[in-house]
């Protein structure tokens, strides 16, 4: 039951064109079961695949409730236990999917069971399932693309895909029940079935509700295209473009160009690829990736930028367009096409994206021109975020993404016990960490979450993704009174209590760090501009959006 972004069957990603659903008559059939819109199309497979999809995902959550959708999914599937049924659940950014493959009786039993569980969640399992989710997250790891949503969107909305599931520590039974009752409703769902008829015996009774729109997009990038430092060996590019057939073709052309330039010609990379996936009804995310050995990564970045520059200039061979078009057309040259496209159509229905028949899609695909691809390339580059290893990318005309806050707060000064040039400021409006590199500020009225530890440790995370750790063991004169200022100033809904940590895990000043004089008296306020710049040297690389 791991979180995933896309259905495992072919989808019509980045299609552009709302013909109403009437256009699918004779290709995909429609009905309503207990108020749930239902799509079905026949398959030659003797077994049925069914999916119950809800328009809710982690982009709808807040940072303190991060993981609540995933938790509902787990609770709804707990009753199946060690069943031999081929089933699973998936929680993505904008949807949650319960899917199953089996004979008619097995599919009916599964779907009825899921709906019954959603209607009356087994809350006695909640704490156990929370622990399972934390274990699952611990084994999932972080990939080279994991930070990109956070840098673009902040610690909210679509950026929450980069964040830990903090809700697994603090969610209450009432919160979980309310989430299930309001989001997992018949009016916020679509069912699809690979069958020529709806099976008998379905009881999909769910509460009435409303269809939730996809969340609005936020941005923490004042200027694009932008770049940020990443791990050695990985070059990552993401952008947001308007959903269109041309965008899906462009992603194919970009992937082929990167593979040819970085692997076949330059020998810089082993993997070089690109993808286009829907974000919401109107926009899609273009992602491109290339790996490289440390001694080749500067060349890989250069080749990456050059490949993009060629496409932006419209230097695209007709053969590149034809090859990409041919690959996409082959996705529609499969048996039981209607059944294969059901997950995509269900998601389009949920998010309000327009529906294309295969014939209409083929027409649009054949109409894509080199000029169309050039326009998408320019749009993608102009809104792009490039993660590079090693040196930066100013030379390519990109602006470094903000690593520091534009201003600090006034308050009491708490010098680092490790570094003379680092100071923590706790004020009435927020907290600031000042270091020689920059300022990192989290204001209370812009605080996405604050985690708390019984030993006094606090970590404040802003909606923009900046975070400041307040550790009484690392700064002078961070008394209980100063911690109380934080606890009273941060909105209660943003506070996430964490359990006590072992003594060995409480941070201590580095060995050899000399003692520091006491901090200024607590009634002495910081006036004027805050000196210095941002996270402690040890935290500098991770203080800007983990």
């Amino acid at each position: 039951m791991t979180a995933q972004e896309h259905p495992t069957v072919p989808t019509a990603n980045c299609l552009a064109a709302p013909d109403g659903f009437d256009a699918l008559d004779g290709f995909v059939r429609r009905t309503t079961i207990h108020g749930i819109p239902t799509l079905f199309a026949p398959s030659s497979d003797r077994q049925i695949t069914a999916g119950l999809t809800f328009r809710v995902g982690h982009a709808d959550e807040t940072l303190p409730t991060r993981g609540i959708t995933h938790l509902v999914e787990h609770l709804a599937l707990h009753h199946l236990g060690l069943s031999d049924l081929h089933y699973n659940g998936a929680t993505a950014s904008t949807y949650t999917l319960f899917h199953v493959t089996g004979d008619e009786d097995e599919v009916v039993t599964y779907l009825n069971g899921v709906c019954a569980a959603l209607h009356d969640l087994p809350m006695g399992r909640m704490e156990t399932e929370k622990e399972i989710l934390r274990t699952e997250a611990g084994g999932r790891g972080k990939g080279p693309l994991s930070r990109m949503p956070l840098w673009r969107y902040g610690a909210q909305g679509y950026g929450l895909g980069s964040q830990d599931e903090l809700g697994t520590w603090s969610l209450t039974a009432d919160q979980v029940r309310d989430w299930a009752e309001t989001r997992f409703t018949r009016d916020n769902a679509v069912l699809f079935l690979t069958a020529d008829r709806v099976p008998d015996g379905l009881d999909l009774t769910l509460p009435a509700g409303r269809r939730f729109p996809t969340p609005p997009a936020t941005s923490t990038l004042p200027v694009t295209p932008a770049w940020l430092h990443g791990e050695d060996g990985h070059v990552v590019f993401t952008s947001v473009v308007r959903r269109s057939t041309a965008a899906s073709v462009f992603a194919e052309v970009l992937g082929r160009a990167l593979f040819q330039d970085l692997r076949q010609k330059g020998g810089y990379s082993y993997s070089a690829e690109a993808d286009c996936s829907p974000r919401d009804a109107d926009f899609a995310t273009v992602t491109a990736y290339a790996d490289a050995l440390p001694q080749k990564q500067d060349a890989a970045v250069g080749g990456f930028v050059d490949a993009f520059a060629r496409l932006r200039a419209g230097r695209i061979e007709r053969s590149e367009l034809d090859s990409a078009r041919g690959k996409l057309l082959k996705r529609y040259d499969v048996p039981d096409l209607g059944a294969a496209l059901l997950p995509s159509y269900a998601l389009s229905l949920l998010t309000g994206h327009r529906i294309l028949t295969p014939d209409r899609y083929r027409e649009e695909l054949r109409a894509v021109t080199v000029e169309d691809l050039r326009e998408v390339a320019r749009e993608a580059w102009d809104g792009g975020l490039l993660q590079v290893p090693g040196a930066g990318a100013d030379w390519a005309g990109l602006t470094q993404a903000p690593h520091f806050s534009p201003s600090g707060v006034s308050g009491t000064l708490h010098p680092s016990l490790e570094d003379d040039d680092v100071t923590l400021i706790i004020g009435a409006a927020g907290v600031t960490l000042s270091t020689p590199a920059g300022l990192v500020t989290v204001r209370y009225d812009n605080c996405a979450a604050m985690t708390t530890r019984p030993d006094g440790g606090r970590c404040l995370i802003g909606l923009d993704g900046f975070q400041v750790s307040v550790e009484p063991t690392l700064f002078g004169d961070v008394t209980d009174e100063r911690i109380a200022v934080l606890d009273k100033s941060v909105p209660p809904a943003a506070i996430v209590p964490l359990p006590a940590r072992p003594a060995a895990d409480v941070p201590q000043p580095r060995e050899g760090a000399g003692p520091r004089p006491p901090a200024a008296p607590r009634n002495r306020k910081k006036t004027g501009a805050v000196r210095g710049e941002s996270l402690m040297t040890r935290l500098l690389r991770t203080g800007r959006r983990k």
Side-chain angles (χ1 to χ4, degrees):
M1 284 173 266
T2 56
Q4 60 187 56
E5 286 297 325
H6 312 293
T8 56
V9 293
T11 64
N13 287 347
C14 298
L15 302 187
D19 295 338
F21 216 94
D22 291 342
L24 295 178
D25 283 347
F27 180 64
V28 170
R29 299 177 64 186
R30 292 171 292 158
T31 189
T32 300
I33 303 175
H34 297 112
I36 299 174
T38 301
L39 313 178
F40 59 103
S43 168
S44 56
D45 194 329
R46 295 177 59 185
Q47 293 191 311
I48 298 172
T49 294
L52 182 59
T53 311
F54 294 90
R55 222 309 294 145
V56 60
H58 55 69
D60 299 286
E61 302 167 351
T62 64
L63 185 52
T65 64
R66 174 75 174 93
I68 190 171
T69 311
H70 199 182
L71 180 57
V72 170
E73 175 220 311
H74 268 230
L75 289 170
L77 294 177
H78 165 68
H79 69 285
L80 290 167
L82 296 176
S83 169
D84 292 331
L85 197 60
H86 181 68
Y87 73 94
N88 212 328
T91 302
S93 62
T94 59
Y95 69 88
T96 300
L97 170 66
F98 297 95
H99 59 93
V100 61
T101 297
D103 62 31
E104 186 171 302
D105 289 340
E106 290 172 330
V107 168
V108 169
T109 298
Y110 172 83
L111 293 174
N112 290 356
V114 167
C115 290
L118 288 171
H119 192 69
D120 185 16
L121 290 174
M123 302 309 297
R125 286 282 306 177
M126 189 175 74
E127 295 306 319
T128 300
E129 293 299 336
K130 284 183 182 180
E131 189 168 355
I132 291 172
L133 290 182
R134 294 194 293 269
T135 302
E136 181 181 333
R140 193 157 45 232
K142 304 286 187 181
L145 280 69
S146 63
R147 295 194 305 154
M148 300 299 278
L150 185 64
W151 279 85
R152 179 176 293 276
Y153 301 110
Q156 57 185 318
Y158 298 100
L160 290 178
S162 299
Q163 295 291 88
D164 293 336
E165 294 179 331
L166 287 182
T168 60
W169 294 105
S170 59
L171 286 168
T172 66
D174 286 343
Q175 286 176 300
V176 176
R177 285 195 194 95
D178 180 71
W179 195 255
E181 290 170 359
T182 56
R183 267 68 175 183
F184 290 84
T185 67
R186 62 174 181 253
D187 298 296
N188 204 37
V190 171
L191 172 67
F192 65 85
L193 298 139
T194 61
D196 57 4
R197 65 178 184 84
V198 175
D200 295 329
L202 283 173
D203 182 4
L204 308 184
T205 303
L206 288 172
R210 66 181 179 91
R211 176 69 51 81
F212 281 84
T214 51
T218 56
S219 177
T220 64
L221 299 174
V223 178
T224 57
W227 68 270
L228 67 140
H229 284 293
E231 298 177 358
D232 280 349
H234 305 284
V235 184
V236 181
F237 175 90
T238 64
S239 189
V240 177
V241 299
R242 288 163 294 178
R243 289 181 69 172
S244 68
T245 303
S248 61
V249 178
F250 167 75
E252 286 294 329
V253 171
L254 175 61
R256 287 166 178 262
L258 293 174
F259 185 85
Q260 181 178 354
D261 293 356
L262 301 185
R263 176 168 172 167
Q264 292 185 317
K265 290 183 178 179
Y268 310 135
S269 301
Y270 174 76
S271 296
E273 55 197 6
D275 173 68
C276 180
S277 59
R279 186 192 71 183
D280 51 36
D282 300 315
F283 293 94
T285 300
V286 171
T287 302
Y289 169 80
D291 58 7
L293 293 172
Q295 62 269 28
K296 297 284 187 73
Q297 58 193 24
D298 288 341
V301 172
F304 202 101
V305 172
D306 289 345
F308 234 114
R310 177 173 72 82
L311 302 183
R312 288 159 53 212
R315 297 197 301 273
I316 303 169
E317 298 294 332
R318 179 74 185 193
S319 60
E320 294 180 282
L321 171 56
D322 290 342
S323 295
R325 184 162 31 213
K327 181 178 178 179
L328 293 173
L329 283 170
K330 286 180 180 178
R331 295 182 182 178
Y332 282 70
D333 187 19
V334 296
D336 307 322
L337 181 59
L341 291 174
L342 285 174
S344 174
Y345 288 148
L347 188 57
S348 292
L349 199 57
L350 276 175
T351 60
H353 182 55
R354 57 184 182 172
I355 302 293
L356 280 178
T357 66
D359 286 344
R360 178 64 182 275
Y361 175 66
R362 292 184 184 102
E363 290 175 7
E364 291 201 0
L365 198 54
R366 295 187 181 101
V368 173
T369 66
V370 168
E371 179 61 25
D372 293 333
L373 299 184
R374 185 180 70 129
E375 290 303 314
V376 177
R378 290 179 174 180
E379 181 185 12
W381 183 260
D382 289 346
L385 178 62
L386 181 65
Q387 179 177 288
V388 297
D394 300 271
W395 59 269
L398 287 81
T399 302
Q400 187 174 17
H403 281 60
F404 304 105
S405 303
S407 63
V409 300
S410 299
T412 55
L413 305 181
H414 305 274
S416 166
L417 302 179
E418 297 181 307
D419 190 327
D420 290 346
D421 294 322
V422 175
T423 302
L424 172 69
I425 302 105
I426 300 177
V431 295
T432 291
L433 193 60
S434 171
T435 77
L439 302 173
V440 173
T441 298
V442 178
R443 298 181 182 274
Y444 303 133
D445 61 2
N446 197 46
C447 184
M450 180 178 76
T451 61
T452 68
R453 297 281 189 179
D455 56 44
R458 302 288 186 267
C459 181
L460 293 88
I461 305 168
L463 290 171
D464 56 7
F466 283 111
Q467 66 180 51
V468 175
S469 293
V470 179
E471 295 286 359
T473 53
L474 298 182
F475 296 95
D477 204 29
V478 180
T479 62
D480 291 344
E481 289 77 8
R482 301 314 298 156
I483 294 298
V485 169
L486 305 180
D487 294 346
K488 289 188 296 184
S489 301
V490 172
I495 296 176
V496 181
L498 298 181
R501 47 190 169 180
D505 291 344
V506 177
Q508 300 296 330
R510 294 189 313 270
E511 186 175 353
R516 296 294 309 274
R522 285 193 294 274
N523 61 358
R524 177 183 171 186
K525 301 295 182 182
K526 181 78 171 180
T527 58
V530 179
R531 179 186 64 82
E533 284 120 276
S534 175
L535 281 182
M536 297 173 58
T537 303
R538 191 169 64 183
L539 299 176
L540 190 57
R541 295 179 182 175
T542 56
R544 168 60 168 145
R545 304 174 186 161
K546 288 186 181 177

